Amino acid sequence: MSSSSSKRHSILPPISQSGPKPPVQFSSSITIADSALLTGSNPILISSESVIHPRARLDSLSGRITIGRRCIIHERSTLGAVGTSGRITDKAVALGDYVTVEVGASIEAGDTVIGDGTTIGVGAKVGAGAVVGRNCTITARSEIKAGEVVEDNVVVYSNGMRRVDRRGVAELRNKGQARQIGVLRMMIPSNPAKFQ
Amino acid sequence: MAPLTPYTYIQCPCSDASTLGRQADSNSPRSPDDDELDDRAFDPRAPRSNYSLYPLDYLNYCEDCQQIRCPRCVAEEIVTYFCPNCLFEVPSSNLKSEGNRCTRSCFQCPICIGPLSVTSIESPPDPSLLAAPDGAPAPHSGPYILTCSYCNWSSTEIGIKFDKSNSIHAQLVKLNNGGTTRLTAKEHRERRKEASQDRLAGPPSALAAAASNGGENNEELDLETQFANLKSFYQSQLADAAPGGSGLSSLNDLGFSSPTSLSRIMSLYTGGTVHNSRNKSRTGTMREALISDEGLQIASLDESAAIQHLHSIDYSETITTEQSTNQPPHLGEVHPHGTSRFASSLRPIPYLLRTKRSKRCPVCRHIISKPEAKVATTRFRIKLVASAYIPTITIRPLNIPSSSTPGTLPPLQPSQFILTFQNPRFETINVTLATPAKTPGRFSSKVTVLCPQFEIDANTDVWDEALKDTSDKTKLRRRGAAGDDGTHQAEAGKIWERGRNWVSIVVEVVPASLRLDLLEATAKEDEDVLEIPMFVRVEWEVDVGGDDVGTAPSRDKEQTEERELAYWCVLGLGRVGQA
Ligand SMILES: [Zn+2]
Ligand SMILES: [Zn+2]
Ligand SMILES: [Zn+2]
Ligand SMILES: [Zn+2]
């Protein structure tokens, strides 16, 4: 929390806020780190209780970015990366509720939709225009090609193999997510004012 | 094409029949015949060479035979069996009874082979539990399942839950997919006995039920029951028939008065004829199993149910060959003909045990590598690696004319490489090199070793070297240098550079043009790689101490003794480009 005197500093050089400041629409209950990077010219919407980690990059250059409730966007992940298609659409990326985008994951812009309760694993890549269903798990380093459709409750693992998750733990997962957000809010100093 | 990193492979003498004979008396002085054997050039492209060339790091060295030993020619002995997951050391006596898999709680995911973890599942919606602070599941909260944290598989998919969180293996053996308890062969028999008793005593309706259920000839048996039935059936037949000769299965009727013993004694005294004819008649009386009680299992070739199921599911729900072969045999399984093809029936895979092994020299039986028996330690008690005995050879390009394709050697133009030999021994060694003037193969390149004979100083203490007089050191270095360092030229008969325990020499190659052979449309795989066979002979002197029992006793006139080691190696220099 801000009360702690010794702050942890990154050894990386500070990111320069280049380009225009995108118009933002934040819920009052979000947590957004000071060093998150928001660029682009289209609006960025973040709904209640979502957490944006330091150095997460939200790029609305090619369209609007919408983040649902209680989402966690981890460090160095990219939302709205202009992929190979370079398409410019109205909605670049839309995340449902309870979505987790883990470290280094990238979601390309172009009507890309991630359903509620889905986890995008470490270093995973979701191509432009892909539609990922609800409660899916995209395991670490997996890749969803542009325009692909992933049904609800599907696990994508091991170089694109797919299987249906039959555990039925979506409710539990969401509760865990809520608890995690509770902890993160205490650990990440939030500075939404910087982006407004 | 990816540029090739220069490499050195060493030939193990085990692949060459002519060297095998020499090992027995390797200490005796070499006769001229041996040198003739050495003259036969080694062809790195010969199909046999694939099995005898190793990087130096793969090789061991037998101190007693003074010879290189490769993974193919060492004899291995198992030191320890252990589970790679829980690192539990399994006594070898347990292997026979319990098999080669971990029998604790270590399992791999049947879908993705990731490790499975035991987790408790919260008993069906318990609001008080969820409302608890932090919602952590209370300890000992009931049924446990195996879950994969990578692909999200869980044992609930095959309907299996466990009562205890430990000894999962023992619990799993007793469970069929779907969670039903598997009956052991003994229980099967008891159940059958009850049924037959019912049949005798009960009303006619029970009799009919029993007949349709247990009395049928084709009852489905699991593997264990089938085996037990077959075994008891044939054992009873053996006991009935009391076969002569090998009647060990019927130990109970061993006695002088028993008919078996009598017939055996008879056959002993009357020659083989009686015995044989009797035996023939006996085999005629053995019959095969006819009903499931006796272990007969008729293959169920009706696959309509599987086909029906296939219609209703996705391709991803069928199993891959790999998943199928990874499946451990399950004793509760119905006959192998019924082996499922669906992911919904895959069972967790208990971890296969691993071993730690020691290695012995095949010739003198001395141990050349022995790991610490404890599973958790990575140390070795004995480890005689070749790199501690024979010089390391590293290749570095010196002077390569520019080529049309970057990273390749231009054909028909001389390229120079620096070979650096590093001496790991604490004795000064003499190295003699020999290469064929032209490399073997369809495209033969010219090879010249500018300095085929040189001496490398001992591998002394690094600090000794550092403290030495610097002027002395500079004198030692750059012996091959002509004049000042700026015009450092490779010269025939002179070494290129010298250091504490290393010497560099120059090798010049003139690669052949691959285009010479235009008749054959394309070069074979890797035929453009320039490989030079090189014969290395290392000689050194050792002090002959009294404790050295194995060495030649005949020459005790001197304090030192000549030793030598000779072997073929292959230098891979690079790819030859197009002219
Ligand atoms: Zn060998
Ligand atoms: Zn284990
Ligand atoms: Zn798995
Ligand atoms: Zn030996």
Side-chain angles (χ1 to χ4, degrees), chain A residues 135-137 139-140 142 155-159 161-167 172 175 179, chain B residues 111-112 122 130 134-136 147-148 150-154 156-157 316-317 320 323 344:
Chain A
N135 303 318
C136 291
T137 307
T139 60
S142 292
V155 182
V156 178
Y157 67 103
S158 172
N159 295 328
M161 302 264 283
R162 290 185 187 195
R163 63 185 304 274
V164 177
D165 185 353
R166 291 194 184 79
R167 295 175 304 167
L172 273 173
K175 286 201 171 67
R179 279 199 298 273
Chain B
I111 305 288
C112 72
E122 286 165 75
L130 293 177
D134 245 16
T147 55
C148 172
Y150 178 60
C151 74
N152 293 352
W153 182 88
S154 86
T156 51
E157 288 187 23
S316 65
E317 283 168 56
T320 63
Q323 285 170 342
S344 54

Side-chain angles (χ1 to χ4, degrees), chain B residues 95-117:
Chain B
L95 285 169
K96 269 185 189 144
S97 53
E98 287 169 6
N100 60 346
R101 290 177 185 269
C102 182
T103 53
R104 306 172 99 206
S105 300
C106 309
F107 288 92
Q108 280 177 292
C109 174
I111 305 288
C112 72
I113 68 157
L116 294 178
S117 53

Side-chain angles (χ1 to χ4, degrees), chain B residues 62-66 69 361-366 368:
Chain B
C62 176
E63 272 192 331
D64 294 83
C65 305
Q66 292 172 43
R69 297 282 174 246
C361 171
V363 177
C364 68
R365 308 295 296 162
H366 276 92
I368 52 179

Side-chain angles (χ1 to χ4, degrees), chain B residues 58-86:
Chain B
Y58 285 43
L59 296 170
N60 286 97
Y61 185 86
C62 176
E63 272 192 331
D64 294 83
C65 305
Q66 292 172 43
Q67 200 47 274
I68 297 165
R69 297 282 174 246
C70 74
R72 283 185 78 218
C73 63
V74 291
E76 288 191 339
E77 279 162 31
I78 291 165
V79 176
T80 318
Y81 296 90
F82 66 97
C83 166
N85 192 49
C86 62

Side-chain angles (χ1 to χ4, degrees), chain A residues 62-126:
Chain A
S62 51
R64 181 150 45 105
I65 288 181
T66 317
I67 294 172
R69 290 175 298 127
R70 288 185 176 166
C71 290
I72 304 177
I73 313 298
H74 281 266
E75 290 181 33
R76 288 188 290 111
S77 56
T78 311
L79 264 63
V82 182
T84 41
S85 70
R87 243 186 319 162
I88 297 200
T89 48
D90 175 34
K91 286 185 219 149
V93 174
L95 305 190
D97 300 339
Y98 292 100
V99 171
T100 305
V101 179
E102 288 185 355
V103 175
S106 145
I107 299 170
E108 286 180 0
D111 281 332
T112 313
V113 180
I114 310 291
D116 296 352
T118 286
T119 303
I120 311 293
V122 174
K125 215 166 151 187
V126 179

Side-chain angles (χ1 to χ4, degrees), chain B residues 320-429:
Chain B
T320 63
T321 317
E322 208 171 17
Q323 285 170 342
S324 158
T325 49
N326 277 339
Q327 278 291 296
H330 170 44
L331 290 178
E333 199 175 336
V334 183
H335 202 265
H337 290 289
T339 302
S340 179
R341 303 166 187 86
F342 304 112
S344 54
S345 65
L346 292 175
R347 291 170 70 87
I349 310 162
Y351 269 92
L352 275 170
L353 301 179
R354 305 288 159 92
T355 55
K356 278 188 161 190
R357 292 157 189 241
S358 65
K359 293 174 181 173
R360 276 183 194 278
C361 171
V363 177
C364 68
R365 308 295 296 162
H366 276 92
I367 291 177
I368 52 179
S369 169
K370 190 183 176 71
E372 198 87 49
K374 259 189 173 173
V375 175
T377 56
T378 51
R379 277 203 304 265
F380 279 76
R381 286 169 186 272
I382 302 167
K383 201 172 171 190
L384 307 177
V385 289
S387 56
Y389 296 90
I390 65 176
T392 318
I393 306 170
T394 43
I395 305 164
R396 190 152 53 91
L398 170 67
N399 185 12
I400 295 171
S402 59
S403 169
S404 52
T405 0
T408 60
L409 308 173
L412 306 174
Q413 287 181 62
S415 301
Q416 290 179 328
F417 289 88
I418 299 176
L419 302 188
T420 306
F421 291 74
Q422 192 168 14
N423 178 15
R425 288 187 179 267
F426 296 105
E427 299 102 19
T428 302
I429 59 170

